Amino acid sequence: AQTVTQSQPEMSVQEAETVTLSCTYDTSESDYYLFWYKQPPSRQMILVIRQEAYKQQNATENRFSVNFQKAAKSFSLKISDSQLGDAAMYFCAYRRQETSGSRLTFGEGTQLTVNP
Amino acid sequence: DTGVSQNPRHKITKRGQNVTFRCDPISEHNRLYWYRQTLGQGPEFLTYFQNEAQLEKSRLLSDRFSAERPKGSFSTLEIQRTEQGDSAMYLCASSLGASPYGYTFGSGTRLTVV
């Protein structure tokens, strides 16, 4: 079974600074997707960024980028120029690349605090 | 389309009572998922539908839990004889097929069993 581990329950960053959230996963599959979701206090999970395992190039979305290390099964999220609105719980998630089943497996989450 | 809608937002019930939650997915999405999230944890998969067919159920979905999606549109999740351990956030999400873009989540229903 696939597992996702986020070893940092809490992180804090100063506004305008950069922070990196860690995620490791375990799978025997070679093709899969990885995601970072943000869950603010309003509770709705919002997709931040995604990465296909077959792509070597790290995904970027504006201030958000990932460091995907397939051999190490590591998928960290870097937030640059942190803003107060980035404060939220961040979840790393894994999904197999198949058409029949598509459950997401989530990590435990990292609570990010942004200090003004 | 306003996204995935879940009702109610909050539900407080006495132990032993039955509760039902509703999820309205994005209209063109054929897949619908239910997850449970306890405080401080990541969401855990419960079940998912493709159109009206329930294709996968987690072991977490005990006999007291039942989910339906009768016409392939909205879905209901019923918990019978609620227990205090059922207290959690119940999240619904939808997608168009096995979308590589992940799911669109609703805001969840928070259940408190007293």
Side-chain angles (χ1 to χ4, degrees):
Chain A
Q2 294 81 21
T3 59
V4 178
T5 302
Q6 294 178 249
S7 58
Q8 305 154 315
E10 299 177 348
M11 291 283 285
S12 63
V13 63
Q14 290 296 125
E15 196 175 3
E17 297 294 307
T18 296
V19 64
T20 298
L21 308 184
S22 301
C23 172
T24 58
Y25 58 95
D26 187 27
T27 183
S28 58
E29 305 285 333
S30 59
D31 290 327
Y32 47 87
Y33 295 105
L34 296 165
F35 305 88
W36 278 98
Y37 279 90
K38 169 185 176 181
Q39 188 176 41
S42 65
R43 307 186 310 198
Q44 186 170 15
M45 300 275 278
I46 302 166
L47 178 64
V48 174
I49 197 166
R50 55 183 280 272
Q51 174 83 40
E52 293 100 326
Y54 66 88
K55 288 187 177 178
Q56 292 186 337
Q57 186 173 6
N58 289 323
T60 62
E61 288 287 343
N62 301 313
R63 298 182 295 107
F64 299 87
S65 62
V66 299
N67 184 4
F68 172 49
Q69 301 290 326
K70 190 172 183 179
K73 297 180 181 175
S74 170
F75 183 61
S76 61
L77 174 69
K78 185 172 80 172
I79 306 174
S80 303
D81 185 26
S82 297
Q83 300 176 359
L84 295 177
D86 294 333
M89 187 73 119
Y90 285 81
F91 291 98
C92 178
Y94 166 99
R95 205 203 83 190
R96 298 170 68 182
Q97 190 180 66
E98 62 177 341
T99 55
S100 58
S102 58
R103 68 163 74 182
L104 284 171
T105 300
F106 288 88
E108 307 91 334
T110 297
Q111 181 68 52
L112 178 66
T113 301
V114 181
N115 300 310
Chain B
D1 197 338
T2 56
V4 178
S5 177
Q6 290 190 248
N7 288 290
R9 292 265 294 176
H10 303 272
K11 179 70 177 179
I12 300 174
T13 190
K14 292 183 178 180
R15 189 175 54 186
Q17 297 294 304
N18 299 343
V19 293
T20 300
F21 312 139
R22 176 176 171 130
C23 172
D24 288 88
I26 291 174
S27 57
E28 62 265 29
H29 285 184
N30 60 344
R31 290 194 178 183
L32 185 148
Y33 310 84
W34 285 100
Y35 280 76
R36 182 173 70 185
Q37 185 180 21
T38 53
L39 198 62
Q41 298 296 314
E44 295 174 296
F45 173 79
L46 292 178
T47 188
Y48 97 95
F49 293 84
Q50 179 159 301
N51 301 314
E52 66 276 9
Q54 189 174 18
L55 296 186
E56 190 176 355
K57 292 196 294 185
S58 162
R59 288 172 296 176
L60 293 175
L61 211 66
S62 75
D63 292 345
R64 297 184 297 106
F65 287 69
S66 63
E68 293 183 344
R69 195 183 183 199
K71 296 183 179 179
S73 56
F74 73 91
S75 175
T76 57
L77 177 66
E78 180 183 18
I79 308 175
Q80 296 181 329
R81 306 180 303 281
T82 52
E83 303 173 355
Q84 286 190 323
D86 297 332
S87 296
M89 178 80 73
Y90 290 84
L91 295 171
C92 177
S94 68
S95 70
L96 182 60
S99 169
Y101 297 98
Y103 312 157
T104 301
F105 280 86
S107 295
T109 294
R110 180 171 294 286
L111 173 66
T112 302
V113 182
V114 297

